[in-house]
Amino acid sequence: MKYNELVYQPQEDTHLLLDSIIKNIKNQKLNILEIGCGSGYVSINLLKEYNNLKITCTDINKNAIKLSKENAKENNIKIKFIESNLFENIKQEYDIIIFNPPYLPQDKLSSKHSIDTALYGGKKGYEITHQFIEQVYNNLKPNGKIFLLLCSLSKPKTSLELLNKFNYEYKLIKQIKIFPEELFVYEIEFNEFLKEMKNKKIKTIEFISKGKKGNIYSGNLKNKKIKIKQLIENRNNQSFVTIQNEVNLLNKLKKQSFVQKIIENTDNYFISSFIEGITFESWLEKNKSKNNFKKIILKILEICQILDIQKIDKKEMVNPYKHILIDKKENVYFIDFERSSICKNPKNITQVINYFCSKKINDYFKKFNINLNIKILNQLCKKYKKDYDEKKFKDIINNLF
C-alpha cells in the first residue's frame, strides 16, 4: 500500500481497530461505513478478510480519498469513496459504522498542514468524537453497530457519558497501552428506546435537557419537529406516575392552543408536538413595547384562569422561569406538566400574581410606568380564589393595568 505525508499513516490505533473489528464481525452481507478512512488501510484489509462486505469510505481530506482510491485499485478491492465531513454527504443507513477519530488535544504550535485534521480532535481532543456521537443516529440501522476508538489523552469518560445521554449501549472490546497513551475500542449499539425511535422513522434525535424524572429530546417525524420525553427510571417508582400524569393532563387540555399535543405515549416515554420559543423572562429582556408587554401578561393570566377553571394546579407558577414560552408570533405556551395535579382549589392566578409582584418581574412593570398595588392585588386574589368568578378575575386585570 502507498502512503504519503499528506495522509495519516497506519499506526498502533489503526491496527488495534482493524483487529477488533475482524474478531467481532462475521463474513456476512453487511453494509459498512468507515468515517475518516485515511489511507484506506482498515477497509481494504477488512475486505481481504471478509469478501461479502460492502464498504463505503469517507474522509474530509481530499488527499486521503485520492490515496485510498489508489490503494484500493492496487489491491483489486472495490470500495465506494465519498469526500465528507463526518456525515455531511452521507444519505443512507449502515449495518456497521467505523470511526478512528482524531483525538489529540489541539497543539497551538501545529501547522495548518492537512494531516492536522487526522490528528487533532479539537481543543480538548474529544470535540470531533462528540460531533460523531451526536450525528451518527440517522445513518445507523436499528440493529447496527459502531466500532469507535477512544484515547486516554482525550478524556474518554466524557465520550462514554455522551453515549449514555444519547441512549447508546456500549462495551469495551479491546485496549492497549502505548506510552504515553492508552487506546480503547468500543462496540456501540442502540438501546431499546433508540431502536423504537428508529422503527418509528424518527430522525435527527438531539438531546435537550435532563430532569429528575426524564430526559428531553427533539426529533423529526414526517418532516415535523417533535419533542420526546423519556422516563429515566423504571415504572415501579414515582417517575412512572409523573410521566403518565403529564400525559393525562396534556390530553385533558388537548383542545387548548397553549400546550403541546400528544402524538403517542407508552409507559416509558411520550412523543408530542415541539414548541419553538424563548422563556418568558428572556422575552422580557428583549421586549421594548408596552403594548406587547400588556398583551403577553394578559395571555398568561388568561391561561392561568383556564387552568383554574379546569381544576389543574400547575404548581410552578410562583417562579415559572422555564415553564412559559413565547414564540416569534408572541403566542404564549405553558410546558412541563409533570408536577401538576387535579385539585379542588388550584392557585394558578394567585401564584402568577405573586410572581409578577416579585422584584425581578415588578421591575419590568415599572419600566413601562405600571405601578402594582401589591396589597390590593393580594386581596383581589383571595376573593377570586373563593369561587373563580369571571368578574373577580377581571377586577384583577383592571387593577394591574
Side-chain angles (χ1 to χ4, degrees), residues 33-38 56-60 65 82-84 86 90:
L33 173 69
E34 183 184 4
I35 299 286
C37 63
T56 299
C57 284
T58 78
D59 206 291
I60 192 173
I65 295 294
I82 301 173
E83 186 178 334
S84 180
L86 294 177
I90 307 302

Side-chain angles (χ1 to χ4, degrees), residues 347-399:
K347 302 173 183 177
N348 300 292
I349 288 289
T350 306
Q351 289 186 351
V352 84
I353 290 296
N354 286 334
Y355 173 58
F356 291 159
C357 292
S358 67
K359 184 182 183 310
K360 178 170 59 174
I361 307 303
N362 197 359
D363 284 345
Y364 290 102
F365 281 87
K366 290 177 181 177
K367 174 184 171 182
F368 295 115
N369 297 314
I370 301 171
N371 296 310
L372 300 181
N373 189 323
I374 297 174
K375 185 176 180 181
I376 292 178
L377 279 170
N378 285 334
Q379 290 173 354
L380 291 172
C381 284
K382 284 181 182 179
K383 290 179 181 178
Y384 162 83
K385 210 168 69 169
K386 290 179 180 178
D387 53 15
Y388 306 101
D389 180 69
E390 177 69 21
K391 183 181 178 303
K392 292 173 183 175
F393 172 67
K394 287 181 178 176
D395 289 342
I396 293 170
I397 292 171
N398 292 334
N399 188 269

